[in-house]
Amino acid sequence: PVRLHTRPGAGLYFWHIFPGSPADTFGLSAPGWLVQVDDEELLSIDALLEAIHAGKFKGRDWLRCRTMDSEGRPTVRALQPDETFWPTVELALHRPDGEDAASGAAK
């Protein structure tokens, strides 16, 4: 059976923790799902990007990250943001003809 937290739209799946990263330093383990940062539910990549663009995590010394492991057990860890491991930028490719490369839709 599929666990509720593993369904699409139920969190951001991560399968690797970079050695030396804040997640590694503060004991987060992979694989898992990031489901909330502070008071922001992050059930999709769009929700994460929206929170970043709105500046909700900017200038913060600590972020409270709620994750779920593959068995559905929740964990909450306070992590210090590090621009080396979590650069809050988004790369997007736009074609000169005005068509979005990812979706093929005209802008």
Side-chain angles (χ1 to χ4, degrees):
V2 176
R3 297 185 186 276
L4 291 177
H5 70 282
T6 65
R7 293 181 182 176
L12 300 171
Y13 178 73
F14 59 92
W15 62 272
H16 180 75
I17 305 270
F18 285 99
S21 70
D24 177 47
T25 301
F26 293 99
L28 209 59
S29 59
W33 286 261
L34 177 65
V35 294
Q36 188 173 2
V37 175
D38 289 337
D39 294 327
E40 297 297 317
E41 257 192 347
L42 301 177
L43 303 181
S44 68
I45 190 68
D46 292 330
L48 174 62
L49 292 173
E50 184 179 309
I52 290 170
H53 289 214
K56 294 186 178 185
F57 310 132
K58 196 164 192 73
R60 302 289 307 277
D61 291 330
W62 292 91
L63 297 172
R64 188 180 66 243
C65 299
R66 183 172 186 256
T67 62
M68 299 287 262
D69 70 10
S70 58
E71 296 298 318
R73 294 178 295 243
T75 301
V76 177
R77 296 267 196 265
L79 303 180
Q80 288 181 302
D82 184 330
E83 290 290 323
T84 302
F85 294 99
W86 191 0
T88 51
V89 297
E90 177 184 7
L91 301 177
L93 175 64
H94 297 282
R95 293 183 180 164
D97 60 7
E99 193 173 286
D100 186 317
S103 68
K107 290 228 173 219

XYZ file of all heavy atoms in Angstrom:
835
model
N 0.829 -1.202 0.000
C 0.000 0.000 0.000
C 0.868 1.260 0.000
O 1.934 1.274 0.577
C -0.810 -0.116 1.281
C -0.047 -1.038 2.164
C 0.724 -1.946 1.254
N 0.364 2.280 -0.639
C 1.069 3.566 -0.708
C 0.764 4.363 0.548
O -0.381 4.531 0.932
C 0.618 4.353 -1.957
C 1.271 5.713 -1.987
C 0.928 3.573 -3.218
N 1.823 4.838 1.208
C 1.643 5.659 2.407
C 1.203 7.057 1.994
O 1.635 7.588 0.978
C 2.934 5.705 3.206
C 3.337 4.329 3.714
C 4.562 4.446 4.605
N 5.055 3.152 4.989
C 4.587 2.442 6.010
N 3.615 2.900 6.746
N 5.107 1.260 6.289
N 0.349 7.678 2.812
C -0.218 8.979 2.473
C 0.849 10.026 2.172
O 0.714 10.807 1.239
C -1.136 9.470 3.593
C -2.428 8.683 3.777
C -3.208 9.231 4.961
C -3.274 8.728 2.515
N 1.915 10.060 2.975
C 2.921 11.106 2.788
C 3.789 10.883 1.552
O 4.561 11.759 1.177
C 3.810 11.217 4.028
C 4.727 10.059 4.216
N 4.303 8.860 4.733
C 6.041 9.905 3.922
C 5.316 8.022 4.764
N 6.384 8.629 4.285
N 3.678 9.732 0.892
C 4.493 9.474 -0.295
C 3.748 9.774 -1.591
O 4.315 9.640 -2.671
C 4.977 8.017 -0.330
O 3.854 7.148 -0.476
C 5.757 7.661 0.906
N 2.514 10.187 -1.502
C 1.735 10.501 -2.700
C 2.168 11.840 -3.283
O 2.611 12.715 -2.546
C 0.247 10.546 -2.363
C -0.276 9.195 -1.978
C -1.741 9.218 -1.677
N -2.148 7.882 -1.278
C -3.352 7.582 -0.868
N -4.278 8.511 -0.795
N -3.646 6.347 -0.526
N 2.036 12.014 -4.599
C 2.370 13.308 -5.198
C 1.591 14.431 -4.523
O 0.420 14.287 -4.201
C 1.938 13.140 -6.659
C 2.011 11.664 -6.890
C 1.609 11.036 -5.577
N 2.262 15.561 -4.283
C 1.627 16.700 -3.638
C 1.595 16.586 -2.129
O 0.899 17.338 -1.464
N 2.352 15.655 -1.568
C 2.349 15.469 -0.116
C 3.699 15.805 0.508
O 3.962 15.444 1.637
C 1.953 14.037 0.233
N 4.567 16.493 -0.208
C 5.866 16.866 0.319
C 6.922 16.833 -0.772
O 6.667 16.419 -1.887
N 8.110 17.296 -0.421
C 9.229 17.324 -1.364
C 10.174 16.178 -1.044
O 10.796 16.155 0.014
C 9.962 18.660 -1.265
C 9.106 19.884 -1.574
C 9.857 21.153 -1.242
C 8.685 19.868 -3.024
N 10.274 15.232 -1.950
C 11.088 14.046 -1.731
C 12.569 14.396 -1.839
O 12.980 15.114 -2.743
C 10.738 12.978 -2.770
C 11.570 11.724 -2.661
C 11.356 10.829 -1.625
C 12.560 11.447 -3.583
C 12.116 9.670 -1.514
C 13.323 10.290 -3.486
C 13.089 9.414 -2.447
O 13.846 8.283 -2.340
N 13.371 13.898 -0.914
C 14.826 14.012 -1.030
C 15.425 12.642 -0.782
O 14.973 11.888 0.048
C 15.409 15.066 -0.072
C 15.128 14.820 1.382
C 16.020 14.109 2.168
C 13.969 15.312 1.975
C 15.771 13.886 3.517
C 13.716 15.098 3.314
C 14.618 14.380 4.093
N 16.451 12.312 -1.552
C 17.049 10.977 -1.457
C 18.509 11.018 -1.022
O 19.114 9.986 -0.774
C 16.919 10.227 -2.775
C 17.635 10.891 -3.908
C 17.131 11.844 -4.733
C 18.981 10.670 -4.329
N 18.078 12.234 -5.643
C 19.236 11.523 -5.408
C 20.001 9.832 -3.897
C 20.446 11.571 -6.063
C 21.215 9.883 -4.564
C 21.420 10.744 -5.625
N 19.088 12.225 -0.937
C 20.495 12.341 -0.578
C 20.702 13.557 0.307
O 20.050 14.578 0.122
C 21.333 12.493 -1.850
C 22.804 12.627 -1.591
N 23.596 11.564 -1.223
C 23.617 13.702 -1.627
C 24.841 11.976 -1.061
N 24.872 13.274 -1.300
N 21.600 13.423 1.269
C 22.011 14.543 2.119
C 23.497 14.785 1.827
O 24.306 13.864 1.946
C 21.834 14.214 3.617
C 20.407 13.791 3.919
C 22.321 15.348 4.486
C 19.446 14.848 4.293
N 23.849 15.990 1.433
C 25.247 16.294 1.134
C 26.073 16.343 2.413
O 25.683 17.010 3.375
C 25.375 17.635 0.400
C 24.960 17.569 -1.033
C 23.700 17.995 -1.417
C 25.825 17.069 -1.996
C 23.303 17.927 -2.735
C 25.435 16.996 -3.329
C 24.181 17.429 -3.697
N 27.192 15.632 2.434
C 28.072 15.679 3.608
C 28.506 17.120 3.902
O 28.855 17.868 2.988
C 29.278 14.827 3.191
C 28.752 13.926 2.124
C 27.708 14.743 1.399
N 28.424 17.499 5.156
C 28.809 18.840 5.569
C 27.696 19.865 5.478
O 27.841 20.995 5.935
N 26.570 19.487 4.889
C 25.447 20.420 4.768
C 24.764 20.580 6.125
O 24.958 19.761 7.031
C 24.435 19.899 3.746
O 23.771 18.746 4.258
N 23.939 21.621 6.302
C 23.201 21.752 7.559
C 22.347 20.517 7.862
O 22.256 20.101 9.013
C 22.336 22.992 7.332
C 23.111 23.809 6.352
C 23.756 22.792 5.437
N 21.748 19.918 6.856
C 20.939 18.714 7.079
C 21.793 17.582 7.638
O 21.378 16.860 8.550
C 20.264 18.282 5.786
N 23.002 17.447 7.118
C 23.929 16.428 7.619
C 24.396 16.775 9.032
O 24.379 15.932 9.935
C 25.123 16.320 6.668
C 26.181 15.332 7.125
O 25.806 14.203 7.507
O 27.366 15.692 7.091
N 24.791 18.011 9.227
C 25.313 18.465 10.525
C 24.294 18.272 11.643
O 24.653 17.891 12.757
C 25.709 19.953 10.444
O 26.698 20.096 9.415
C 26.273 20.453 11.756
N 23.020 18.509 11.349
C 21.994 18.436 12.384
C 21.205 17.132 12.361
O 20.142 17.024 12.960
C 21.085 19.659 12.310
C 21.812 20.920 12.665
C 22.298 21.753 11.680
C 22.059 21.248 13.989
C 23.003 22.905 12.002
C 22.760 22.389 14.323
C 23.235 23.218 13.329
N 21.734 16.105 11.678
C 21.217 14.754 11.814
C 20.003 14.362 11.000
O 19.342 13.382 11.313
N 19.704 15.079 9.932
C 18.605 14.670 9.065
C 19.059 13.446 8.270
O 20.223 13.347 7.896
C 18.267 15.807 8.110
C 16.849 15.925 7.624
C 15.899 16.101 8.784
C 16.734 17.091 6.679
N 18.165 12.509 8.045
C 18.555 11.318 7.289
C 17.667 11.144 6.053
O 16.507 11.523 6.049
C 18.494 10.077 8.170
O 17.208 9.887 8.684
N 18.265 10.574 5.019
C 17.573 10.348 3.753
C 17.303 8.855 3.610
O 17.989 8.041 4.225
C 18.435 10.844 2.603
N 16.311 8.473 2.812
C 15.396 9.324 2.071
C 14.297 9.862 2.974
O 14.075 9.365 4.069
C 14.818 8.381 1.017
C 14.826 7.047 1.691
C 16.047 7.045 2.584
N 13.614 10.877 2.467
C 12.515 11.451 3.235
C 11.763 12.484 2.424
O 12.026 12.687 1.243
N 10.819 13.118 3.083
C 9.985 14.151 2.470
C 10.011 15.385 3.353
O 9.741 15.298 4.550
C 8.537 13.675 2.327
C 8.352 12.678 1.240
C 7.894 12.925 -0.019
C 8.633 11.281 1.294
N 7.881 11.751 -0.744
C 8.330 10.732 0.040
C 9.125 10.427 2.282
C 8.483 9.387 -0.253
C 9.290 9.090 1.995
C 8.967 8.585 0.738
N 10.351 16.515 2.770
C 10.241 17.795 3.467
C 8.799 18.233 3.323
O 8.293 18.382 2.214
C 11.186 18.821 2.832
C 11.133 20.233 3.412
C 11.598 20.237 4.865
C 11.983 21.171 2.571
N 8.116 18.419 4.449
C 6.690 18.746 4.387
C 6.365 20.132 4.942
O 5.297 20.664 4.667
C 5.824 17.675 5.093
C 5.904 16.353 4.355
C 6.213 17.499 6.533
N 7.295 20.720 5.720
C 7.004 22.025 6.292
C 8.308 22.711 6.696
O 9.235 22.067 7.192
C 6.111 21.873 7.526
C 5.591 23.157 8.084
C 4.573 22.905 9.195
O 4.308 21.767 9.559
N 4.024 23.958 9.726
N 8.391 24.016 6.459
C 9.479 24.844 6.962
C 8.825 25.988 7.711
O 8.026 26.736 7.146
C 10.396 25.368 5.837
C 11.432 26.327 6.400
C 11.076 24.212 5.119
N 9.163 26.095 8.987
C 8.509 27.033 9.893
C 6.991 26.819 9.790
O 6.536 25.709 9.990
C 8.934 28.468 9.624
C 10.385 28.711 10.046
O 10.891 27.963 10.901
O 11.015 29.632 9.512
N 6.236 27.842 9.451
C 4.779 27.682 9.375
C 4.284 27.442 7.953
O 3.079 27.427 7.707
C 4.087 28.927 9.953
C 4.349 29.080 11.438
O 4.474 28.048 12.127
O 4.441 30.224 11.920
N 5.218 27.252 7.018
C 4.858 27.068 5.616
C 4.798 25.591 5.253
O 5.815 24.902 5.287
C 5.881 27.759 4.704
C 5.950 29.246 4.861
C 4.658 29.930 4.479
O 4.051 29.560 3.446
O 4.246 30.826 5.217
N 3.602 25.099 4.906
C 3.474 23.740 4.390
C 4.074 23.713 3.001
O 3.768 24.561 2.175
C 1.999 23.335 4.305
C 1.591 22.439 5.397
C 0.218 21.822 5.140
O -0.527 22.260 4.241
O -0.106 20.896 5.866
N 4.941 22.747 2.742
C 5.596 22.643 1.441
C 5.236 21.306 0.816
O 5.982 20.345 0.892
C 7.113 22.769 1.601
C 7.587 24.071 2.229
C 9.085 24.058 2.409
C 7.154 25.261 1.393
N 4.074 21.274 0.197
C 3.586 20.032 -0.370
C 3.958 19.867 -1.834
O 3.685 18.831 -2.431
C 2.076 19.933 -0.171
C 1.630 20.025 1.300
C 0.121 19.901 1.409
C 2.319 18.971 2.133
N 4.604 20.884 -2.417
C 5.032 20.807 -3.816
C 6.212 21.742 -4.015
O 6.458 22.629 -3.196
C 3.892 21.203 -4.757
O 3.616 22.589 -4.609
N 6.915 21.562 -5.114
C 8.026 22.454 -5.427
C 7.503 23.869 -5.662
O 8.161 24.853 -5.332
C 8.850 21.939 -6.638
C 10.154 22.729 -6.804
C 8.043 21.970 -7.916
C 11.158 22.517 -5.725
N 6.290 23.993 -6.201
C 5.699 25.314 -6.413
C 5.499 26.052 -5.094
O 5.725 27.255 -5.016
C 4.371 25.204 -7.167
C 4.557 24.732 -8.605
O 5.618 25.025 -9.189
O 3.652 24.061 -9.117
N 5.082 25.329 -4.056
C 4.891 25.948 -2.740
C 6.224 26.433 -2.175
O 6.298 27.517 -1.583
C 4.233 24.967 -1.777
N 7.287 25.656 -2.367
C 8.617 26.071 -1.904
C 9.071 27.317 -2.651
O 9.518 28.292 -2.038
C 9.627 24.940 -2.084
C 11.082 25.304 -1.771
C 11.247 25.706 -0.312
C 12.002 24.149 -2.119
N 8.951 27.305 -3.980
C 9.375 28.460 -4.771
C 8.568 29.703 -4.425
O 9.113 30.806 -4.346
C 9.277 28.142 -6.263
C 10.270 27.100 -6.766
C 9.977 26.743 -8.213
C 11.702 27.566 -6.587
N 7.288 29.542 -4.181
C 6.437 30.675 -3.802
C 6.900 31.278 -2.470
O 6.996 32.495 -2.325
C 4.978 30.218 -3.696
C 4.007 31.332 -3.394
C 2.575 30.809 -3.326
O 2.160 30.119 -4.273
O 1.908 31.101 -2.320
N 7.210 30.429 -1.499
C 7.683 30.910 -0.191
C 9.033 31.612 -0.329
O 9.263 32.653 0.298
C 7.782 29.745 0.786
N 9.915 31.068 -1.163
C 11.224 31.694 -1.375
C 11.061 33.040 -2.061
O 11.641 34.042 -1.633
C 12.139 30.761 -2.191
C 12.540 29.554 -1.336
C 13.373 31.514 -2.688
C 13.231 28.453 -2.115
N 10.241 33.105 -3.116
C 10.037 34.361 -3.852
C 9.394 35.420 -2.966
O 9.654 36.609 -3.141
C 9.180 34.116 -5.089
C 9.892 33.346 -6.151
N 9.697 33.553 -7.490
C 10.814 32.355 -6.088
C 10.460 32.732 -8.193
N 11.136 31.993 -7.351
N 8.570 34.993 -2.028
C 7.918 35.935 -1.113
C 8.864 36.385 0.012
O 8.505 37.232 0.817
C 6.664 35.295 -0.510
N 10.064 35.808 0.060
C 11.051 36.200 1.069
C 10.762 35.679 2.464
O 11.271 36.213 3.448
N 9.984 34.617 2.571
C 9.577 34.113 3.888
C 10.717 33.522 4.697
O 10.607 33.407 5.907
C 8.445 33.110 3.733
C 7.190 33.765 3.207
C 6.026 32.843 3.167
C 4.808 33.618 2.676
N 3.610 32.830 2.720
N 11.816 33.132 4.046
C 12.937 32.536 4.770
C 14.162 33.453 4.781
O 15.186 33.105 5.343
C 13.324 31.188 4.156
C 12.165 30.256 3.962
C 11.981 29.605 2.758
C 11.245 30.028 4.978
C 10.910 28.745 2.569
C 10.174 29.175 4.799
C 10.000 28.534 3.589
N 14.057 34.619 4.171
C 15.194 35.526 4.025
C 15.642 36.092 5.369
O 14.825 36.487 6.191
C 14.813 36.659 3.090
C 15.988 37.429 2.565
C 15.570 38.245 1.364
C 16.737 38.808 0.640
N 17.487 37.844 -0.100
N 16.951 36.097 5.565
C 17.523 36.689 6.764
C 17.327 35.882 8.032
O 17.573 36.371 9.132
N 16.889 34.661 7.914
C 16.629 33.820 9.084
C 17.901 33.111 9.513
O 18.651 32.606 8.687
C 15.558 32.779 8.757
C 14.227 33.339 8.293
C 13.465 34.017 9.410
N 13.326 33.144 10.555
C 12.383 32.215 10.687
N 11.489 32.059 9.752
N 12.341 31.462 11.757
N 18.160 33.076 10.818
C 19.305 32.339 11.354
C 19.008 30.855 11.471
O 19.898 30.021 11.369
C 19.707 32.879 12.726
C 20.310 34.268 12.629
O 20.920 34.582 11.593
O 20.162 35.042 13.588
N 17.746 30.515 11.720
C 17.328 29.124 11.889
C 16.008 28.897 11.172
O 15.153 29.772 11.150
C 17.134 28.778 13.375
C 18.414 28.768 14.135
C 18.972 29.823 14.808
C 19.307 27.675 14.296
N 20.154 29.446 15.376
C 20.383 28.128 15.091
C 19.305 26.349 13.856
C 21.446 27.301 15.442
C 20.362 25.534 14.217
C 21.414 26.008 15.001
N 15.852 27.703 10.607
C 14.589 27.285 10.000
C 14.155 25.975 10.649
O 14.956 25.059 10.801
C 14.748 27.073 8.491
C 15.125 28.303 7.682
C 15.440 27.907 6.240
C 14.014 29.327 7.718
N 12.889 25.902 11.035
C 12.347 24.675 11.624
C 11.790 23.818 10.486
O 10.810 24.172 9.837
C 11.247 25.026 12.629
C 10.755 23.834 13.430
C 9.662 24.225 14.418
N 8.475 24.666 13.700
C 7.956 25.889 13.757
N 8.502 26.816 14.489
N 6.879 26.200 13.072
N 12.451 22.685 10.233
C 12.095 21.820 9.104
C 11.434 20.543 9.600
O 12.010 19.801 10.391
C 13.341 21.469 8.304
S 14.153 22.914 7.611
N 10.225 20.300 9.116
C 9.501 19.067 9.454
C 9.615 18.115 8.275
O 9.293 18.475 7.139
C 8.044 19.374 9.738
C 7.249 18.158 10.157
C 5.854 18.569 10.614
N 5.160 17.423 11.150
C 4.208 16.771 10.505
N 3.822 17.166 9.310
N 3.624 15.736 11.060
N 10.098 16.906 8.549
C 10.249 15.891 7.518
C 9.511 14.627 7.928
O 9.150 14.444 9.093
C 11.733 15.554 7.275
O 12.287 15.025 8.473
C 12.519 16.782 6.837
N 9.302 13.766 6.951
C 8.733 12.436 7.185
C 9.699 11.430 6.589
O 10.217 11.644 5.496
C 7.384 12.281 6.488
C 6.336 13.259 6.952
S 5.733 12.870 8.564
C 4.266 12.015 8.157
N 9.941 10.336 7.315
C 10.800 9.293 6.748
C 9.961 8.328 5.921
O 8.743 8.496 5.789
C 11.615 8.584 7.834
C 10.784 7.709 8.753
O 9.580 7.472 8.476
O 11.334 7.245 9.766
N 10.587 7.314 5.368
C 9.870 6.398 4.473
C 8.826 5.559 5.186
O 7.976 4.951 4.544
C 10.869 5.493 3.741
O 11.629 4.771 4.679
N 8.872 5.518 6.512
C 7.862 4.801 7.290
C 6.750 5.720 7.804
O 5.855 5.283 8.510
C 8.524 4.095 8.483
C 9.514 3.020 8.070
C 8.849 1.902 7.297
O 7.739 1.469 7.686
O 9.433 1.463 6.291
N 6.847 7.021 7.473
C 5.819 7.969 7.891
C 6.060 8.592 9.258
O 5.182 9.258 9.798
N 7.252 8.403 9.810
C 7.569 8.992 11.114
C 8.015 10.430 10.922
O 8.948 10.701 10.167
C 8.662 8.190 11.808
C 8.217 6.784 12.190
C 9.359 6.029 12.815
N 10.423 5.812 11.840
C 10.817 4.613 11.416
N 10.286 3.525 11.909
N 11.777 4.506 10.527
N 7.381 11.371 11.641
C 7.771 12.781 11.510
C 9.017 13.098 12.339
O 9.265 12.494 13.376
C 6.556 13.523 12.062
C 5.956 12.583 13.038
C 6.216 11.200 12.502
N 9.785 14.043 11.854
C 10.943 14.569 12.553
C 10.961 16.077 12.361
O 10.658 16.558 11.274
C 12.262 13.996 11.979
O 12.240 12.590 12.091
C 13.474 14.532 12.712
N 11.303 16.804 13.403
C 11.465 18.254 13.298
C 12.885 18.591 13.711
O 13.339 18.175 14.773
C 10.442 19.007 14.182
C 10.680 20.510 14.109
C 9.027 18.668 13.771
N 13.574 19.321 12.848
C 14.947 19.744 13.124
C 15.061 21.238 12.834
O 14.492 21.737 11.860
C 15.950 19.024 12.217
C 16.034 17.548 12.403
C 17.131 17.212 13.396
N 17.489 15.806 13.332
C 16.979 14.890 14.124
N 16.079 15.207 15.008
N 17.368 13.635 14.033
N 15.816 21.931 13.661
C 16.144 23.329 13.391
C 17.447 23.333 12.604
O 18.434 22.749 13.033
C 16.296 24.108 14.690
N 17.411 23.932 11.423
C 18.586 23.973 10.556
C 18.999 25.422 10.312
O 18.150 26.292 10.154
C 18.304 23.311 9.212
C 17.832 21.860 9.232
C 17.601 21.369 7.818
C 18.831 20.975 9.943
N 20.300 25.649 10.254
C 20.817 26.960 9.899
C 20.959 27.011 8.381
O 21.657 26.173 7.804
C 22.177 27.204 10.542
C 22.097 27.432 12.027
C 23.463 27.700 12.614
O 24.361 26.888 12.491
N 23.598 28.856 13.231
N 20.299 27.969 7.731
C 20.424 28.070 6.274
C 21.874 28.330 5.881
O 22.610 29.030 6.572
C 19.555 29.271 5.917
C 18.668 29.481 7.092
C 19.416 28.982 8.280
N 22.286 27.752 4.785
C 23.638 27.911 4.263
C 23.514 28.066 2.756
O 23.089 27.144 2.064
C 24.479 26.685 4.630
C 25.918 26.803 4.204
O 26.192 27.489 3.192
O 26.774 26.199 4.865
N 23.873 29.235 2.243
C 23.735 29.525 0.809
C 24.525 28.546 -0.064
O 24.207 28.351 -1.222
C 24.176 30.959 0.507
C 23.233 32.009 1.046
C 21.911 32.060 0.306
O 21.876 31.883 -0.920
O 20.890 32.275 0.976
N 25.560 27.919 0.481
C 26.333 26.946 -0.285
C 25.490 25.726 -0.613
O 25.552 25.177 -1.708
C 27.582 26.500 0.505
O 28.359 27.645 0.804
C 28.402 25.488 -0.283
N 24.663 25.287 0.346
C 23.880 24.074 0.173
C 22.428 24.338 -0.195
O 21.747 23.470 -0.690
C 23.940 23.228 1.444
C 25.315 22.698 1.705
C 26.158 23.329 2.604
C 25.779 21.582 1.032
C 27.429 22.842 2.834
C 27.044 21.091 1.254
C 27.879 21.729 2.159
N 21.921 25.510 0.096
C 20.535 25.827 -0.221
C 20.475 27.207 -0.848
O 19.978 28.150 -0.262
C 19.672 25.783 1.025
C 18.201 25.839 0.746
C 17.575 25.931 -0.460
C 17.161 25.827 1.717
N 16.213 25.970 -0.302
C 15.936 25.904 1.032
C 17.141 25.753 3.092
C 14.714 25.918 1.683
C 15.912 25.763 3.735
C 14.716 25.836 3.041
N 21.023 27.326 -2.067
C 20.955 28.633 -2.721
C 19.520 28.878 -3.151
O 18.920 28.046 -3.818
C 21.887 28.482 -3.924
C 21.891 27.022 -4.213
C 21.659 26.326 -2.891
N 18.954 29.955 -2.729
C 17.555 30.215 -3.041
C 17.445 30.984 -4.355
O 17.090 32.147 -4.387
C 16.869 30.964 -1.887
O 17.671 32.108 -1.548
C 16.725 30.081 -0.672
N 17.784 30.290 -5.429
C 17.644 30.830 -6.773
C 16.894 29.808 -7.618
O 16.877 28.621 -7.312
C 19.013 31.136 -7.431
C 19.747 32.199 -6.661
C 19.857 29.897 -7.573
N 16.287 30.283 -8.663
C 15.590 29.399 -9.592
C 16.145 29.646 -10.987
O 16.235 30.786 -11.431
C 14.091 29.694 -9.567
C 13.299 28.868 -10.548
C 11.835 29.243 -10.578
O 11.447 30.229 -9.941
O 11.077 28.542 -11.247
N 16.549 28.590 -11.658
C 17.029 28.698 -13.022
C 15.898 28.313 -13.963
O 15.243 27.298 -13.772
C 18.219 27.766 -13.251
C 19.433 28.006 -12.350
C 20.494 26.951 -12.645
C 19.986 29.391 -12.541
N 15.675 29.134 -14.965
C 14.619 28.847 -15.928
C 15.125 29.175 -17.323
O 15.833 30.164 -17.513
C 13.373 29.662 -15.612
N 14.784 28.354 -18.291
C 15.174 28.561 -19.671
C 13.993 29.132 -20.433
O 12.895 28.569 -20.403
C 15.619 27.230 -20.293
C 15.942 27.260 -21.781
C 17.144 28.165 -22.044
C 16.217 25.858 -22.283
N 14.214 30.253 -21.081
C 13.175 30.867 -21.908
C 13.724 30.998 -23.320
O 14.819 31.515 -23.528
C 12.768 32.246 -21.367
C 12.167 32.178 -20.009
N 10.870 31.774 -19.794
C 12.690 32.436 -18.789
C 10.619 31.787 -18.504
N 11.711 32.186 -17.865
N 12.965 30.528 -24.273
C 13.379 30.596 -25.672
C 13.160 32.016 -26.204
O 12.219 32.692 -25.805
C 12.582 29.601 -26.487
C 12.892 28.173 -26.125
C 12.136 27.238 -27.011
N 12.459 25.868 -26.649
C 11.750 24.836 -27.020
N 10.670 24.991 -27.760
N 12.108 23.628 -26.654
N 14.001 32.428 -27.148
C 13.860 33.780 -27.705
C 12.514 34.006 -28.401
O 12.036 35.123 -28.469
C 15.001 33.894 -28.709
C 15.876 32.709 -28.506
C 15.137 31.719 -27.673
N 11.884 32.928 -28.898
C 10.602 33.089 -29.588
C 9.422 33.247 -28.625
O 8.271 33.296 -29.043
C 10.342 31.912 -30.542
C 10.295 30.559 -29.808
O 10.336 30.529 -28.569
O 10.212 29.545 -30.512
N 9.719 33.306 -27.314
C 8.669 33.516 -26.329
C 8.011 32.261 -25.830
O 7.075 32.301 -25.058
N 8.509 31.103 -26.281
C 7.929 29.829 -25.850
C 8.694 29.304 -24.637
O 9.915 29.322 -24.609
C 7.996 28.828 -27.001
C 7.166 27.598 -26.776
C 7.140 26.729 -28.018
O 6.453 27.094 -28.978
O 7.813 25.689 -28.002
N 7.984 28.844 -23.636
C 8.604 28.274 -22.439
C 9.164 26.902 -22.798
O 8.456 26.034 -23.269
C 7.552 28.144 -21.320
C 8.152 27.689 -20.014
O 8.998 26.777 -20.015
O 7.748 28.229 -18.973
N 10.476 26.705 -22.576
C 11.140 25.455 -22.970
C 10.607 24.245 -22.217
O 10.549 23.152 -22.755
C 12.649 25.574 -22.763
N 10.209 24.416 -20.970
C 9.762 23.285 -20.165
C 8.378 22.799 -20.571
O 8.108 21.607 -20.640
C 9.770 23.654 -18.679
N 7.483 23.746 -20.853
C 6.104 23.328 -21.128
C 5.721 23.418 -22.583
O 4.726 22.825 -23.005
C 5.145 24.195 -20.307
O 5.171 25.541 -20.800
N 6.496 24.184 -23.385
C 6.129 24.363 -24.769
C 5.038 25.401 -24.952
O 4.583 25.648 -26.046
N 4.614 26.038 -23.861
C 3.530 27.020 -23.919
C 4.096 28.399 -24.243
O 5.177 28.758 -23.779
C 2.792 27.066 -22.591
N 3.377 29.149 -25.007
C 3.784 30.521 -25.327
C 3.588 31.405 -24.121
O 2.636 31.233 -23.368
C 2.978 31.045 -26.510
N 4.489 32.338 -23.939
C 4.398 33.274 -22.813
C 3.705 34.539 -23.244
O 3.751 34.988 -24.301
C 5.785 33.593 -22.274
C 6.380 32.425 -21.578
C 6.905 32.911 -20.280
C 7.345 31.716 -19.494
N 7.096 31.730 -18.167
